[in-house]
Amino acid sequence: ILKKQISLSPEEVIGDGRTAMEEYFKAYAACSGQLRALLEKRTGSLKVNEAVTLLVVLFLVVAAFGCSVLIMRSINRSVSNAVRVLGRMSEGDLCGRAVLRRADELGLVLEGINSYLDTMNDMVVAIDEISDRLSKTSGSLSEASSVLSSSSSEQTGEIEEITATTENISANIESIAQSSDSQVGKIG
């Protein structure tokens, strides 16, 4: 390695410094145009990215709103269905059924309503059958009661007839006994 002593005067250092500064400013002037162009290009792409991001966010907000409207409609339809069936049930109509379109908790509620209506229908049918049987049995008992009543009336009539005949026979026997006493008294 060579060591060389450099000796410069202060005027030479200032001159060389001025030259270096001038070269720096020329290079900066030459590069600043390119830097501005590059900066504008990057800013433009950032504006495009910003616009794309804004459009994606807007699309997601609209999609979320659309999904929430669909979910609310689905829930509203199922609740309206349940209210309609329960209204008919409160009026005594046990034939209506809830339409099952869901597999969630609301679907389970609608299924429970349908099951309850089936149970109530079965109970009404059983009560109706029992009522028919009771009505028939009551009719049979009424007929048997009428037959017993008429038989009882007939028997009462016959017993009264027998009693009257027995009283006549008894009176006739007494009359015969008195006649025979009087005939015996005349004979004897």
Side-chain angles (χ1 to χ4, degrees):
I1 298 179
L2 293 174
K3 286 192 179 180
K4 184 175 163 186
Q5 193 171 15
I6 302 175
S7 69
L8 296 172
S9 68
E11 290 85 24
E12 288 177 328
V13 170
I14 291 175
D16 285 344
R18 277 190 192 148
T19 306
M21 288 283 282
E22 287 173 1
E23 290 296 319
Y24 170 76
F25 285 122
K26 284 181 190 173
Y28 177 75
C31 289
S32 72
Q34 291 175 353
L35 286 173
R36 277 193 192 114
L38 183 60
L39 185 60
E40 286 176 9
K41 182 179 176 185
R42 298 256 171 143
T43 305
S45 81
L46 284 175
K47 286 182 181 178
V48 168
N49 285 345
E50 184 180 295
V52 167
T53 302
L54 184 64
L55 286 174
V56 167
V57 167
L58 183 64
F59 172 76
L60 290 175
V61 167
V62 168
F65 180 75
C67 286
S68 67
V69 166
L70 289 175
I71 290 170
M72 285 186 329
R73 272 189 180 171
S74 174
I75 291 171
N76 190 29
R77 230 182 276 135
S78 295
V79 169
S80 294
N81 185 10
V83 167
R84 178 185 49 81
V85 169
L86 290 173
R88 288 177 62 186
M89 187 173 68
S90 72
E91 294 170 356
D93 181 6
L94 301 177
C95 295
R97 293 293 179 270
V99 179
L100 298 175
R101 294 183 184 145
R102 303 178 64 95
D104 59 359
E105 291 80 7
L106 195 52
L108 291 174
V109 168
L110 295 174
E111 188 176 325
I113 289 171
N114 286 345
S115 176
Y116 177 76
L117 286 170
D118 289 339
T119 302
M120 291 301 291
N121 263 339
D122 292 344
M123 287 174 54
V124 167
V125 167
I127 289 170
D128 193 39
E129 288 174 357
I130 290 170
S131 174
D132 284 346
R133 278 190 259 149
L134 283 175
S135 177
K136 288 177 185 174
T137 303
S138 173
S140 297
L141 286 174
S142 178
E143 285 177 25
S145 176
S146 288
V147 167
L148 284 174
S149 176
S150 70
S151 292
S152 175
S153 294
E154 286 176 13
Q155 286 177 355
T156 302
E158 289 174 359
I159 288 173
E160 286 175 357
E161 222 176 277
I162 291 172
T163 303
T165 304
T166 305
E167 286 176 0
N168 281 338
I169 292 173
S170 187
N172 286 337
I173 290 175
E174 278 183 33
S175 169
I176 291 173
Q178 285 175 358
S179 284
S180 81
D181 280 342
S182 71
Q183 290 290 331
V184 169
K186 285 182 186 179
I187 302 183

